[in-house]
């Protein structure tokens, strides 16, 4: 399987050589990507929904290469139901309160995790998410933000 | 019942989840499997039992975390703790900050550096090398869309080579991950 971070950095030879010096770290980062985006048991969050939310997080941080990767991944599933989600301006306030609550949570935890409160979790329960759903959402958001930070740091190294 | 803590502290803390941790008695096979490797390998904490709700990610995350924080060569262990601490200050993960501030003190025996951060927060005035690590942690965490030449030259100026910078990036990023779990799925209380 293609290493997503190497791909996002344009398969730069120096960056690949540097990353390969931390072999376990690199392999476990890629394995975490697969576990977060395409777990064997996706529960209530389909692969398409996961890819769409990941693309939205990347768009928030203007991580263009990763956003493109996740948009392509979303497209590869052939589902159109989540096509609006990657646009950070999209909200589902009137159409789908559950999706709206999920988007609010993803936006807060991505952009200003320090603002997250117990209340936010209560709002997720209120629209029907269960314990596992709430942890799934946090785990996905946390992983993708990790990936965004790693790519941002590596880009700094690559370009200077 | 103890009260939640809302300000940074160096006192030992407990973590109280907002969601229900997995019950070991009724855990699925995948959950039991993921729980075998934990960062501490002692008693399974509520935090890890919460993460076990999503066992496939937990299973990969624990060895990844250990490799990022404890692998040989490259950036010193204390340097990685500084990255973790900077991220946790920006994200206001009080629990993570306490743990990694205290680890830095144990490793470096320079508590004054950590006290300066606890006193002044993101504006802390630190010795040059610590300042370079801390500032990069703050910048990468707060503005991953805006790190570049300015940050790079400060790290080089402080003497970091490519592998050390790679290690620092990962120490900061893994706390971008950890903070988004610990601070959003529960809250700290003073340890009883």
């Amino acid at each position: 399987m293609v290493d997503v971070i190497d791909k996002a950095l344009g398969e730069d030879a120096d960056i690949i050589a540097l990353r390969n010096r931390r072999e376990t770290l690199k392999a476990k980062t890629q394995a975490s990507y697969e576990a977060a985006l395409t777990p064997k048991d996706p529960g209530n969050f389909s692969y398409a929904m996961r890819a769409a939310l990941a693309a939205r997080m990347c768009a928030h941080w203007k991580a263009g290469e990763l956003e493109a990767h996740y948009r392509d991944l979303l497209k590869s599933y052939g589902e159109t139901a989540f096509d609006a989600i990657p646009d950070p301006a999209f909200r589902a306030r009137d159409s789908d309160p559950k999706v709206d609550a999920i988007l609010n949570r993803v936006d807060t935890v991505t952009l200003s995790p320090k603002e997250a409160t117990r209340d936010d979790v209560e709002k997720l329960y209120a629209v029907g998410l269960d314990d596992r759903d709430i942890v799934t959402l946090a785990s996905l958001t946390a992983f993708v933000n990790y990936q965004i930070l790693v790519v941002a740091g590596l880009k700094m190294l690559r370009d200077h | 019942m103890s009260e939640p803590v809302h300000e940074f502290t160096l006192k030992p803390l407990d973590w109280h989840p907002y969601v229900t941790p997995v019950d070991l008695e009724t855990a699925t096979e995948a959950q039991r499997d993921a729980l075998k490797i934990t960062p501490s390998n002692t008693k399974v904490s509520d935090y890890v039992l919460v993460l076990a709700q999503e066992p496939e990610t937990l299973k990969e995350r624990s060895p990844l975390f250990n490799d990022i924080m404890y692998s040989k060569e490259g950036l010193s262990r204390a340097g990685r703790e500084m990255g973790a601490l900077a991220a946790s200050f920006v994200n206001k993960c009080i629990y993570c900050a306490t743990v990694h501030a205290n680890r830095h003190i144990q490793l470096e025996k320079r508590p004054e550096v950590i006290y300066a951060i606890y006193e002044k927060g993101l504006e802390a005035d630190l010795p040059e090398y610590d300042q370079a690590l801390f500032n990069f942690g703050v910048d990468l965490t707060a503005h991953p869309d805006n790190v570049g030449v300015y940050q790079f030259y400060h790290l080089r100026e402080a003497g970091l080579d490519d592998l050390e910078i790679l290690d620092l990036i990962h120490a900061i990023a893994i706390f971008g991950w950890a903070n988004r779990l610990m601070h959003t799925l529960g809250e700290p209380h003073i340890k009883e």
Side-chain angles (χ1 to χ4, degrees):
Chain A
M1 180 159 320
V2 178
D3 184 284
V4 177
I5 291 179
D6 283 346
K7 187 181 125 189
L9 288 149
E11 305 287 345
D12 181 274
D14 291 341
I15 291 295
I16 290 175
L18 178 63
R19 291 190 74 217
N20 288 348
R21 293 176 67 185
R22 290 283 186 227
E23 212 177 352
T24 306
L25 194 171
K26 184 175 178 180
K28 287 292 166 192
T29 295
Q30 176 70 13
S32 296
Y33 160 78
E34 289 160 25
L37 273 299
T38 54
K40 285 184 212 85
D41 173 10
N44 294 325
F45 284 82
S46 70
Y47 290 179
M49 179 64 159
R50 288 170 190 250
L53 292 172
R56 183 182 180 94
M57 298 169 210
C58 297
H60 274 309
W61 285 127
K62 301 178 185 71
E65 297 86 354
L66 283 174
E67 183 191 342
H69 168 80
Y70 284 119
R71 281 181 179 273
D72 287 348
L73 185 64
L74 171 60
K75 222 175 273 170
S76 75
Y77 298 124
E79 283 179 47
T80 54
F82 307 117
D83 279 359
I85 287 178
D87 176 1
F90 173 72
R91 293 280 184 283
R93 218 165 278 130
D94 306 316
S95 55
D96 191 335
K98 187 170 171 178
V99 169
D100 193 52
I102 289 171
L103 296 181
N104 282 335
R105 175 71 167 172
V106 162
D107 293 352
T108 302
V109 175
T110 294
L111 291 171
S112 49
K114 71 174 177 187
E115 311 290 348
T117 63
R118 179 191 285 270
D119 238 29
D120 300 343
V121 172
E122 297 305 329
K123 282 179 193 152
L124 295 173
Y125 282 127
V127 293
L129 271 66
D130 64 18
D131 290 314
R132 180 175 169 193
D133 295 337
I134 292 169
V135 177
T136 296
L137 196 55
S139 295
L140 176 69
T141 309
F143 168 76
V144 175
N145 277 277
Y146 161 82
Q147 199 183 32
I148 290 167
L149 264 58
V150 170
V151 168
L154 288 171
K155 266 176 105 165
M156 174 194 78
L157 270 180
R158 183 192 66 188
D159 296 340
H160 297 98
Chain B
M1 185 79 184
S2 58
E3 289 291 309
V5 175
H6 296 297
E7 298 303 329
F8 287 110
T9 175
L10 287 164
K11 290 182 190 150
L13 298 172
D14 278 326
W15 184 77
H16 293 203
Y18 300 146
V19 298
T20 315
V22 165
D23 179 354
L24 274 176
E25 297 294 314
T26 58
T28 65
E29 189 133 335
Q31 288 168 339
R32 287 179 170 280
D33 183 40
L35 288 167
K36 267 178 215 155
I37 318 168
T38 71
S40 61
N41 268 331
T42 52
K43 182 183 164 288
V44 184
S45 64
D46 268 354
Y47 175 59
V48 173
L49 288 171
V50 162
L51 300 189
Q53 295 277 7
E54 185 74 357
E56 290 176 60
T57 303
L58 173 62
K59 192 181 172 180
E60 305 301 342
R61 184 185 173 274
S62 301
L64 173 62
F65 182 94
N66 289 338
D67 197 68
I68 288 174
M69 296 308 285
Y70 310 125
S71 64
K72 291 197 169 43
E73 296 170 3
L75 186 63
S76 69
R77 280 202 44 199
R80 300 179 205 194
E81 299 294 351
M82 184 60 86
L85 183 59
S88 303
F89 257 77
V90 172
N91 292 331
K92 214 172 176 198
C93 187
I94 292 167
Y95 186 94
C96 297
T98 303
V99 170
H100 296 280
N102 281 307
R103 278 210 193 130
H104 189 281
I105 291 173
Q106 283 163 11
L107 289 162
E108 280 288 294
K109 314 269 188 293
R110 292 187 294 133
E112 65 277 9
V113 174
I114 300 301
Y115 297 159
I117 295 171
Y118 271 73
E119 204 169 304
K120 296 274 173 66
L122 304 183
E123 307 303 318
D125 196 7
L126 307 174
E128 196 187 333
Y129 183 77
D130 301 302
Q131 190 85 61
L133 301 181
F134 186 73
N135 286 359
F136 184 60
V138 170
D139 288 353
L140 184 60
T141 303
H143 306 290
D145 51 347
N146 193 25
V147 289
V149 64
Y150 176 83
Q151 285 76 14
F152 178 76
Y153 281 110
H154 273 89
L155 292 171
R156 275 284 193 265
E157 194 80 358
L160 277 83
D161 65 20
D162 284 356
L163 185 64
E164 289 168 328
I165 295 176
L166 182 77
D167 289 341
L168 181 59
I169 290 167
H170 284 101
I172 296 160
I174 196 71
F175 277 83
W177 185 337
N179 298 159
R180 282 179 174 84
L181 298 170
M182 206 118 203
H183 180 66
T184 74
L185 293 173
E187 64 193 358
H189 290 236
I190 295 290
K191 207 179 189 83
E192 287 177 345

